[in-house]
Amino acid sequence: MRINEIITKKAEKKELTKEEIRFFVNGYVANEIPDYQIASLLMAIRLNGMTDDETTYLTEAMMYSGETLNWDFLHKIIADKHSTGGVGDKVSIVLCPILAALDVTIAKMSGRGLGHTGGTLDKLESIEGYTISLTEKKFKEIVEKHGIAIVGQNEKLVPADKKMYALRDVTGTVESIPLIASSIMSKKLATGSNCILLDVKCGNGAFMKNVENAKKLGSLMIAIGKKLGRKIAVEITNMEQPLGKAIGNKIEVIEAINTLKGNGPKDFTEIIYSSAKTLLVLAQKAKDENEAKLLVDSVISSGKAYQKFLEWINAQGGNIKVFDNKNWFMPKYKYEVKSNLEGYLKIKSAISFGLVAMKLGAGRTKKEDSIDYEAGIYLNKSSNELVKKGDTLFTLYSSKPIDNNLEKELLDSIEFSEKPYIIKSVFAKLI
Ligand code: URA
């Protein structure tokens, strides 16, 4: 088999075989095929697409390019959830302990944030002592004993994605639905879970800018899951505005805890319920969404979900005493953005909020950057709330002095409406 023939075949819009796809993935990982030939092939894929079968073969070849995890010894359903990334997205920190409290086992590998979307790992690492790098043995022990663990991506899993993603990033080939689907699915399937919820964020703060493309990506990932024997559900959720009221790291952990105790912001709580219901039905812990809702209500109101959160954080080395300390989140600098207009607030761009949070120190522009866990934004007013002149709209926090130009960036990304309007948290569910 020759790589230049495979490139030509895809450039001529022909369907690649399983063997051809395996050949180029394995050859690339083994450094037998150079970057320039894979870059050319990726561009042909971006331009000409792939069939569902080709995308499934690609996912499989990537998934088996490294080690895979196996949880058969637990004899349990293992659930996982993945979000394509958004501003203020702290869903995993709340959803996973709720599910674990309901006996759905969670063995999750998560990513760091880069750019305007924060990563779950950075938020968890803002809790002193929490460790994201566990050996496979320790990871499995914690999952077996506590029913939940969230760790960093193991380097030995899916090396093909690591290499191909880095190449896509610099060759204009990220924006391809089959390539995104195989990248996400290969990583999810390699961690061995059998029930997976994919939260495809949609809007200006997300990868998928419109519902139509989000649905295409979602349906494709479901098709891949079916062909490979896993249960997949997809939710397409709103990322036109930040999720919840907190953006940052410690500040998001605090909002997550409040939500676990039943005091979360409305939009965020809606997403948590929606995702929990979907996964409980998928994992056959509830016969329908009504029963699933009652289960979620029960673990929140009894405190079991919060207790499971504490048990999990403690098991991964986090100091849970910090949550009783009122001074745990104590940023040195604070800046209040006031309104000189009135009406119902409309956030036009979630990205601007993510970028401002990043400039305050809450996120990275480069992988090597360190994070200021105190930095972030609190939305004193969020979308659709009535604002009067002089009200505080947002509060910015940082450990370093705050540049007042950031105020303008936020004010430029909002507007006011005379009347309240409808905002949907979940645009669609696909199963
Ligand atoms: N997230 C991934 O893991 N891969 C992509 O290609 C895009 C988003």
Side-chain angles (χ1 to χ4, degrees):
M1 219 173 277
R2 290 156 59 93
I3 182 68
N4 44 346
E5 284 164 8
I6 297 175
I7 300 169
T8 309
K9 195 170 170 188
K10 187 78 291 197
E12 289 171 355
K13 301 194 170 95
K14 292 183 189 143
E15 189 169 355
L16 302 180
T17 64
K18 189 172 187 167
E19 290 67 37
E20 285 165 336
I21 290 175
R22 269 201 204 149
F23 174 82
F24 85 73
V25 171
N26 293 340
Y28 188 45
V29 174
N31 294 322
E32 286 158 4
I33 303 176
D35 280 352
Y36 59 85
Q37 284 181 309
I38 297 298
S40 168
L41 178 58
L42 291 171
M43 184 53 85
I45 292 173
R46 176 182 170 168
L47 296 175
N48 295 334
M50 277 185 142
T51 62
D52 286 7
D53 278 344
E54 283 177 299
T55 314
T56 306
Y57 300 145
L58 178 58
T59 306
E60 234 180 337
M62 289 169 72
M63 167 180 156
Y64 289 119
S65 66
E67 293 179 5
T68 56
L69 291 181
N70 185 307
W71 298 95
D72 288 352
F73 70 100
L74 286 180
H75 305 290
K76 285 196 150 192
I77 287 176
I78 309 290
D80 195 357
K81 162 272 152 195
H82 176 81
S83 153
T84 53
V87 181
D89 185 353
K90 61 212 75 88
V91 170
S92 296
I93 304 175
V94 180
L95 178 65
C96 295
I98 289 177
L99 293 167
L102 289 164
D103 198 32
V104 176
T105 305
I106 305 285
K108 181 165 169 50
M109 290 194 173
S110 216
R112 288 194 185 284
L114 191 64
H116 70 275
T117 67
T120 299
L121 295 183
D122 298 313
K123 293 167 200 178
L124 290 171
E125 279 186 326
S126 74
I127 305 165
E128 289 81 350
Y130 186 95
T131 174
I132 59 150
S133 31
L134 300 178
T135 60
E136 187 177 325
K137 185 165 172 276
K138 187 77 187 159
F139 181 38
K140 287 188 164 167
E141 268 171 30
I142 294 182
V143 171
E144 184 169 18
K145 186 158 178 214
H146 303 283
I148 173 170
I150 301 186
V151 298
Q153 188 77 36
N154 178 334
E155 297 285 310
K156 294 182 192 143
L157 261 60
V158 202
D161 181 63
K162 203 160 186 240
K163 244 187 129 179
M164 276 167 57
Y165 196 87
L167 188 62
R168 285 169 58 207
D169 215 13
V170 292
T171 55
T173 49
V174 170
E175 314 267 315
S176 149
I177 289 182
L179 294 178
I180 296 176
S182 51
S183 162
I184 295 175
M185 290 301 286
S186 59
K187 286 177 289 198
K188 290 288 108 185
L189 300 182
T191 55
S193 39
N194 24 41
C195 273
I196 305 168
L197 172 66
L198 301 164
D199 176 1
V200 178
K201 299 269 173 232
C202 183
N204 64 48
F207 250 104
M208 292 290 125
K209 307 284 181 232
N210 60 58
V211 176
E212 197 193 334
N213 276 345
K215 278 189 176 164
K216 271 192 203 154
L217 175 64
S219 314
L220 180 54
M221 293 194 290
I222 291 177
I224 297 171
K226 279 204 179 121
K227 283 179 199 275
L228 298 177
R230 314 285 178 97
K231 288 191 198 171
I232 313 281
V234 172
E235 289 189 346
I236 299 173
T237 62
N238 188 338
M239 197 27 71
E240 296 289 348
Q241 46 259 313
L243 189 52
K245 284 181 163 279
I247 306 165
N249 293 284
K250 279 188 184 179
I251 194 171
E252 285 197 40
V253 171
I254 292 170
E255 186 165 81
I257 291 174
N258 291 338
T259 310
L260 278 166
K261 292 179 174 174
N263 306 318
K266 185 170 167 280
D267 63 334
F268 182 54
T269 304
E270 263 172 35
I271 299 255
I272 293 294
Y273 265 81
S274 174
S275 302
K277 288 188 298 187
T278 306
L279 263 172
L280 286 167
V281 174
L282 203 65
Q284 293 177 325
K285 291 283 173 190
K287 68 173 186 309
D288 57 28
E289 292 212 349
N290 293 334
E291 188 178 302
K293 180 190 176 293
L294 296 178
L295 291 174
V296 180
D297 282 343
S298 73
V299 288
I300 290 183
S301 60
S302 65
K304 277 192 185 156
Y306 182 55
Q307 283 310 317
K308 185 51 86 176
F309 165 82
L310 294 177
E311 183 189 330
W312 152 47
I313 299 295
N314 187 49
Q316 286 194 237
N319 177 7
I320 55 174
K321 292 202 184 94
V322 296
F323 305 130
D324 298 324
N325 177 357
K326 290 204 175 59
N327 297 332
W328 181 55
F329 174 62
M330 195 46 84
K332 193 161 171 206
Y333 294 93
K334 174 175 154 178
Y335 186 106
E336 289 188 347
V337 177
K338 305 271 184 193
S339 178
N340 51 15
L341 294 170
E342 52 187 44
Y344 291 88
L345 180 66
K346 239 183 178 171
I347 294 181
K348 291 185 293 182
S349 157
I351 292 185
S352 312
F353 284 75
L355 291 174
V356 168
M358 196 177 84
K359 289 178 192 169
L360 288 164
R364 303 186 176 78
T365 42
K366 301 189 292 309
K367 269 202 283 210
E368 309 71 44
D369 291 350
S370 63
I371 284 201
D372 173 6
Y373 294 128
E374 308 292 327
I377 306 175
Y378 187 77
L379 311 187
N380 300 77
K381 299 283 181 190
S382 37
S383 280
N384 218 8
E385 269 189 70
L386 183 60
V387 176
K388 298 204 190 71
K389 270 187 199 166
D391 280 353
T392 302
L393 289 167
F394 317 117
T395 309
L396 315 188
Y397 297 104
S398 184
S399 299
K400 50 181 205 259
I402 296 173
D403 174 1
N404 53 12
N405 288 318
L406 297 179
E407 168 165 11
K408 184 170 179 318
E409 284 186 38
L410 292 184
L411 291 176
D412 283 348
S413 57
I414 60 170
E415 60 190 19
F416 292 91
S417 143
E418 277 179 22
K419 292 190 186 137
Y421 53 97
I422 294 169
I423 315 179
K424 271 188 162 180
S425 300
V426 180
F427 292 135
K429 266 192 199 195
L430 314 172
I431 295 184

